[in-house]
Amino acid sequence: MNSIESIKILAGKPVGWLKDGDSEESIILSSRIRLARNISDLRFPLNSSDVEREYVREVICSAVDNSGVIKGRLNFKISELSNVDRRFLLERHLVSKDFCAGNVGSELILESDESFGIMINEEDHVRVQVLSAGLSLGELWKKINEKDTSLSEEVSFVFDSELGYLTSCPTNVGTGMRASVMLNLPGLSMLGHMAGVIQGAGNLGMTVRGLYGEGSEAIGYMYQVSNQSTLGESEEDIIERLEKLIQQIALFEKNARQILFQTRKDFVLDFAGRAYGVLRYSHLISEKEALNLLSALRMGVDMKMFSSLNIGKVNELFISVQDSHLQKICGRDLTSTEIDGCRAELLRSFLRKE
Amino acid sequence: MNSIESIKILAGKPVGWLKDGDSEESIILSSRIRLARNISDLRFPLNSSDVEREYVREVICSAVDNSGVIKGRLNFKISELSNVDRRFLLERHLVSKDFCAGNVGSELILESDESFGIMINEEDHVRVQVLSAGLSLGELWKKINEKDTSLSEEVSFVFDSELGYLTSCPTNVGTGMRASVMLNLPGLSMLGHMAGVIQGAGNLGMTVRGLYGEGSEAIGYMYQVSNQSTLGESEEDIIERLEKLIQQIALFEKNARQILFQTRKDFVLDFAGRAYGVLRYSHLISEKEALNLLSALRMGVDMKMFSSLNIGKVNELFISVQDSHLQKICGRDLTSTEIDGCRAELLRSFLRKE
C-alpha cells in the first residue's frame, strides 16, 4: 500500500490509540514510550548519504517483515507526502516534528490501529513508539520491550556495554527511552502553580513541555511530562518514578480544581460555560482558540456541568479539529478562513448531537 | 406617594415606553422629544437659591395638578434617592445625567406608563419629555405639544418674540426642543461607515451621540441622532427633517447588513452566534460586554438566525441588564462581581426560556 492510500485510511477513522483508554479521564489524556535505536556499523542519519539512508530503510523494513512486529501495516514515505499529510501525522502524534522535515529514506511504518509505529531515519535510524490513552506506562513498556526484542533478533543495534544504546543526541544515550504522558492542567495553571510543578518534576529528572514536545507552547493547558535522563537507571525504574509523579500531579490538579470550584465557583462556571457557548455557536474559530476552549470544556465536563458530554469524544476533538485533519476530512486544500469555518462547523455539529 | 415607593413600582415592571412600539424593529429602538421651559421672572436653576428652586418645584407641581397632564402620577425627589435609584432612572432614559447629580427642588414627575415625564430644576426649570419605541416623532410631537399647551395655561414660560423660548444653555434657545432617536447600527459600524453618517447628519443640522447622549460612548453600536439647532425653524420642520434622516440611516444600515451578509456571511454568523453562545452560557458578564453582545444578538435576530427570539424582549434586556436595574431586581446592594453574576443569570434564564 502506498503512502497516499495509508493517509486516506487513517483520515477516515477516529484516532486509534485513543479508543482503548479510560474515556472518563479528564486529566491524563495519553501515554507514550519511544525507543531510539541505531544499526551497528552505519553512520547516524544526520551524517549519512542518501544511499546509506535508503539502505537503512531497506534493512529496517526487512527486519519488520521478518519479525512480524507490525500487524495491518501502513507505510508512509515522507517524500511521498504533502505538507498537509505530514502535518496530519504530527497532529495525531504519530511522528515527530523533525521527521516531518523529511529526508530520503524517511518512513513511518504503522500498525493500523495506530498504537505502535516505527520511524525510520528520523534523528536516529529507528524510533519505535507505542501510544495509548490514559496512564499505562507499565503496559506500554512491556509491549515496546517485546517489540524491541523481536526487532533486535533481526537487526543488530549499537550497544555499548558501559553506556548502553548509542544515539544521535547524547540526551538519549543509555536506555534510548523517552516515556511521556500528556496531561490537561487548567486547575494548576489557573492557580499559578505550574512553575512549582515544573520545578518539582525537574528535581525528579523529569521535564514538562507543551502539546508538541520540546519548545512548543502549552495550548489548551496541555502538558507533556517525560523523563529527562536516560543514563544510569533501568527503564523500569524510570517508568515507575514517572508514573508516581504523574499520579501526584493528577492529584494536585484534582485538588486545584476543587479549590477553584470552592473559592471561585462563578469564575470556573463562567470559564467552562463560555467555552461551551462559543464552541456551540461560533462560525469561524482558529485552531488555538478551539484547543483552548476544548480544554475549558473538559474541565466543565469534569465538574458535571455538561452531563451528556463524553470526555472520550472531547479528546477525539483535540486531534480532529486541527488544521490538517480538517483538510483531510474535507478532502481538499482549504484557505485559512475556510479551515476556521470548517472547524466551527465540526464543533457545532458535534455539540448539537451530544 | 414618596420617591422610594415610586422606584419600587417602576422596578417591578418592564420599561413602559418600550411596550407600544414595533417589536419587530431591529434598527430603530426608540424616539424621544423633550422641551426646555423656564418660568417667567425667576432666575434659572443653575443660578438660583435653594428657596427659589423649592418655589419653582411647588409652582410646577401645582401646574401639573391643575392641568391634569399626568395620569397615574409617580414622584421622584432626587434628594430622596440613593445613587443606585438615580442611576436606575437614568438607565431607563427617564432622566438626564445632570438631573442625577441632584439638587434641592429637583424632582421627576412621571406618568406611570413612563411615556411622559417632567423634570423640575434640571438645567432649566422644566424639562418635559415624551418617549416611545420605534420611530414616531410625529405622534410624539403632537402629544408633547398638547401637554406643553396645557401646562402653559397654568404657568407662564419665558418667551421672547424674536428668539422664542429662553433657556439656560444657548443651544436650546428658540424651540427649546430636542428630538432624538436611538439607533442600533452594527452594519454601518463594521463597514467603517459611521464617520460618513455622522458628517452627513451634521450637514443637516443633526448630531450623532452614544447611548447616554452627549459625550457618552457608543456601547453596543447604539447611537442617538438628534437635532442640533433649535433656532429659526418650526418644530414641525425640524422633526420632518430628522425623521427623513433616520429613515435614510435605517436604509443605509439595512444595506450595510445585506452587504456584510453577502460578502462576509461567516463573519456575521460568527459575530451573532458567539454573542448568543456567551450570553446563553456565561456566569459572569460586565454591563458593557452584555450590551455589546445583545447588539450582536439583535443583528442575528434580524438575519433570522434565532427564529424564536423576540426583538422586543431583547430590547427590554438592553435596559434591564444594566447595573442599577439588577440591584433593584435583587432588592439589595451588590458587589460588582455579584452584579456580573446576577446579569449572567438573568441572561441565561431569558435565553433558556426563549
Side-chain angles (χ1 to χ4, degrees):
Chain A
M1 193 176 301
N2 72 28
S3 308
I4 308 299
E5 285 166 346
S6 294
I7 288 279
K8 268 189 192 154
I9 288 174
L10 284 196
K13 56 180 200 156
V15 181
W17 54 265
L18 264 176
K19 276 196 303 190
D20 302 327
D22 176 4
S23 67
E24 288 309 303
E25 182 55 73
S26 82
I27 296 174
I28 304 172
L29 187 69
S30 61
S31 302
R32 186 179 79 100
I33 299 178
R34 67 107 176 107
L35 302 175
R37 298 286 184 261
N38 289 282
I39 304 171
S40 305
D41 306 323
L42 289 176
R43 289 195 290 178
F44 289 170
L46 298 176
N47 200 28
S48 62
S49 69
D50 289 358
V51 174
E52 286 169 305
R53 293 166 59 88
E54 188 52 39
Y55 174 72
V56 165
R57 199 189 65 76
E58 280 166 20
V59 169
I60 299 299
C61 284
S62 309
V64 169
D65 282 343
N66 297 337
S67 64
V69 288
I70 286 197
K71 291 166 204 85
R73 174 172 165 181
L74 297 171
N75 303 291
F76 305 87
K77 280 191 182 148
I78 201 73
S79 59
E80 292 174 357
L81 298 178
S82 67
N83 283 337
V84 170
D85 289 341
R86 293 176 193 195
R87 171 95 200 162
F88 171 84
L89 293 174
L90 182 68
E91 286 174 356
R92 261 171 130 89
H93 298 277
L94 299 174
V95 297
S96 64
K97 261 190 182 164
D98 280 349
F99 186 75
C100 283
N103 253 310
V104 173
S106 292
E107 178 165 345
L108 167 70
I109 308 177
L110 187 70
E111 199 150 282
S112 61
D113 72 357
E114 302 173 59
S115 66
F116 173 53
I118 298 170
M119 276 181 276
I120 306 171
N121 286 314
E122 200 246 21
E123 187 180 277
D124 296 296
H125 291 146
V126 182
R127 289 278 177 104
V128 189
Q129 171 177 281
V130 287
L131 277 163
S132 82
L135 181 62
S136 60
L137 291 174
E139 282 168 51
L140 286 183
W141 167 245
K142 196 164 160 258
K143 180 175 171 180
I144 202 166
N145 196 27
E146 283 170 15
K147 303 277 188 192
D148 181 44
T149 306
S150 301
L151 271 179
S152 304
E153 285 163 9
E154 302 295 329
V155 57
S156 164
F157 293 135
V158 203
F159 187 86
D160 178 275
S161 57
E162 283 212 356
L163 291 171
Y165 290 99
L166 300 185
T167 56
S168 194
C169 176
T171 58
N172 290 313
V173 169
T175 61
M177 181 190 77
R178 187 82 59 215
S180 72
V181 177
M182 182 93 72
L183 297 162
N184 190 34
L185 305 175
L188 290 166
S189 305
M190 283 179 200
L191 287 180
H193 292 175
M194 277 312 296
V197 170
I198 291 169
Q199 200 188 335
N203 294 343
L204 290 170
M206 306 297 169
T207 181
V208 182
R209 296 188 177 114
L211 187 57
Y212 288 104
E214 211 165 338
S216 69
E217 206 187 343
I219 295 171
Y221 307 107
M222 302 291 282
Y223 293 89
Q224 271 186 35
V225 183
S226 59
N227 62 304
Q228 185 123 39
S229 92
T230 51
L231 260 176
E233 243 182 325
S234 73
E235 291 88 343
E236 287 85 353
D237 287 349
I238 293 172
I239 282 171
E240 200 188 325
R241 206 164 71 251
L242 178 57
E243 202 155 271
K244 274 188 191 156
L245 172 66
I246 298 297
Q247 282 160 347
Q248 190 73 54
I249 295 176
L251 199 65
F252 285 160
E253 172 65 18
K254 267 199 183 108
N255 286 340
R257 292 183 187 186
Q258 266 176 13
I259 290 168
L260 275 171
F261 203 69
Q262 280 158 11
T263 60
R264 299 173 70 194
K265 188 175 171 183
D266 277 344
F267 170 79
V268 173
L269 292 175
D270 190 57
F271 176 72
R274 281 169 180 261
Y276 179 85
V278 172
L279 291 169
R280 175 83 176 76
Y281 292 102
S282 81
H283 283 250
L284 289 171
I285 191 164
S286 72
E287 182 180 288
K288 190 171 171 182
E289 185 183 10
L291 294 176
N292 279 327
L293 295 181
L294 282 171
S295 183
L297 191 66
R298 277 167 69 96
M299 193 165 156
V301 175
D302 185 44
M303 284 166 173
K304 319 283 181 223
M305 282 175 69
F306 313 106
S307 53
S308 69
L309 275 180
N310 174 304
I311 280 266
K313 290 199 177 169
V314 174
N315 288 346
E316 268 285 331
L317 285 174
F318 268 96
I319 307 286
S320 57
V321 301
Q322 294 178 91
D323 287 359
S324 294
H325 268 74
L326 292 168
Q327 308 221 44
K328 298 317 290 182
I329 289 169
C330 292
R332 65 186 177 92
D333 281 357
L334 302 171
T335 66
S336 93
T337 306
E338 284 173 334
I339 293 176
D340 288 353
C342 180
R343 180 162 27 239
E345 197 180 325
L346 181 81
L347 288 161
R348 284 201 313 280
S349 114
F350 168 77
L351 291 173
R352 208 160 37 229
K353 272 186 227 144
E354 286 287 311
Chain B
M1 191 176 303
N2 72 30
S3 308
I4 307 299
E5 284 166 346
S6 293
I7 287 280
K8 265 190 195 155
I9 287 174
L10 284 197
K13 56 180 198 152
V15 181
W17 54 265
L18 262 178
K19 275 198 302 192
D20 301 328
D22 175 5
S23 66
E24 289 307 305
E25 183 54 73
S26 81
I27 296 174
I28 305 172
L29 188 69
S30 61
S31 302
R32 186 179 80 101
I33 299 179
R34 67 109 175 106
L35 301 175
R37 299 286 183 260
N38 289 283
I39 303 171
S40 305
D41 306 325
L42 290 175
R43 289 196 291 181
F44 289 170
L46 297 177
N47 199 28
S48 62
S49 69
D50 288 0
V51 174
E52 287 171 303
R53 293 167 59 88
E54 188 53 39
Y55 174 71
V56 165
R57 198 189 66 76
E58 281 167 20
V59 169
I60 299 298
C61 283
S62 308
V64 168
D65 282 344
N66 298 336
S67 64
V69 288
I70 287 198
K71 291 165 204 85
R73 174 172 163 180
L74 299 171
N75 304 288
F76 306 88
K77 281 192 180 145
I78 201 73
S79 59
E80 293 175 357
L81 298 178
S82 67
N83 283 337
V84 170
D85 289 340
R86 293 175 193 196
R87 170 94 202 162
F88 171 83
L89 294 174
L90 182 68
E91 288 174 355
R92 262 171 128 87
H93 298 278
L94 299 173
V95 297
S96 64
K97 261 190 182 165
D98 279 350
F99 185 77
C100 283
N103 253 311
V104 173
S106 293
E107 179 165 343
L108 167 70
I109 308 177
L110 186 70
E111 198 151 283
S112 60
D113 72 356
E114 301 173 61
S115 65
F116 173 52
I118 299 171
M119 276 182 276
I120 306 171
N121 286 313
E122 200 246 22
E123 189 181 275
D124 297 296
H125 290 147
V126 181
R127 288 278 177 105
V128 189
Q129 172 176 279
V130 287
L131 275 163
S132 82
L135 181 61
S136 61
L137 292 174
E139 283 168 50
L140 287 182
W141 168 245
K142 197 165 158 254
K143 180 174 173 180
I144 202 167
N145 196 26
E146 282 170 16
K147 303 278 188 192
D148 181 43
T149 306
S150 303
L151 271 179
S152 302
E153 285 162 8
E154 302 295 329
V155 57
S156 165
F157 292 136
V158 203
F159 187 84
D160 179 276
S161 58
E162 282 212 357
L163 290 171
Y165 291 100
L166 299 186
T167 56
S168 193
C169 176
T171 57
N172 290 314
V173 169
T175 60
M177 181 190 77
R178 187 81 61 216
S180 71
V181 176
M182 183 92 72
L183 297 162
N184 191 32
L185 305 175
L188 289 167
S189 306
M190 283 179 201
L191 287 180
H193 292 175
M194 277 313 296
V197 170
I198 291 168
Q199 201 189 334
N203 294 342
L204 291 169
M206 306 297 168
T207 180
V208 182
R209 295 187 177 114
L211 186 56
Y212 288 105
E214 211 165 335
S216 71
E217 205 186 343
I219 295 171
Y221 306 107
M222 302 292 283
Y223 292 90
Q224 271 187 35
V225 183
S226 59
N227 61 305
Q228 185 125 38
S229 92
T230 51
L231 261 175
E233 242 182 327
S234 73
E235 291 88 342
E236 288 84 352
D237 287 349
I238 293 172
I239 281 171
E240 201 189 322
R241 205 164 71 250
L242 178 57
E243 203 154 90
K244 274 190 191 153
L245 172 66
I246 298 297
Q247 282 160 346
Q248 190 74 54
I249 295 176
L251 198 64
F252 284 159
E253 172 64 19
K254 266 198 184 109
N255 286 341
R257 291 184 189 185
Q258 266 177 13
I259 289 167
L260 274 171
F261 204 68
Q262 280 159 10
T263 60
R264 299 172 68 194
K265 187 174 172 185
D266 277 345
F267 170 79
V268 173
L269 292 175
D270 189 58
F271 177 71
R274 280 168 182 262
Y276 180 85
V278 172
L279 291 169
R280 174 82 177 76
Y281 293 102
S282 82
H283 283 251
L284 289 171
I285 191 163
S286 73
E287 183 179 286
K288 190 172 170 181
E289 184 183 10
L291 294 176
N292 280 327
L293 295 182
L294 282 171
S295 183
L297 192 64
R298 277 168 68 96
M299 194 165 156
V301 176
D302 185 43
M303 285 168 173
K304 319 283 182 221
M305 282 175 68
F306 313 106
S307 52
S308 68
L309 274 180
N310 173 304
I311 280 266
K313 290 200 176 168
V314 174
N315 288 346
E316 268 286 330
L317 286 173
F318 267 96
I319 307 286
S320 58
V321 300
Q322 294 178 90
D323 288 358
S324 295
H325 267 74
L326 292 168
Q327 307 220 44
K328 298 317 288 183
I329 290 169
C330 293
R332 65 185 178 91
D333 282 356
L334 303 172
T335 66
S336 93
T337 304
E338 283 173 334
I339 293 177
D340 289 351
C342 182
R343 180 163 26 240
E345 198 179 323
L346 180 81
L347 287 163
R348 284 203 311 281
S349 115
F350 167 76
L351 291 174
R352 206 160 38 229
K353 272 186 225 142
E354 287 284 313

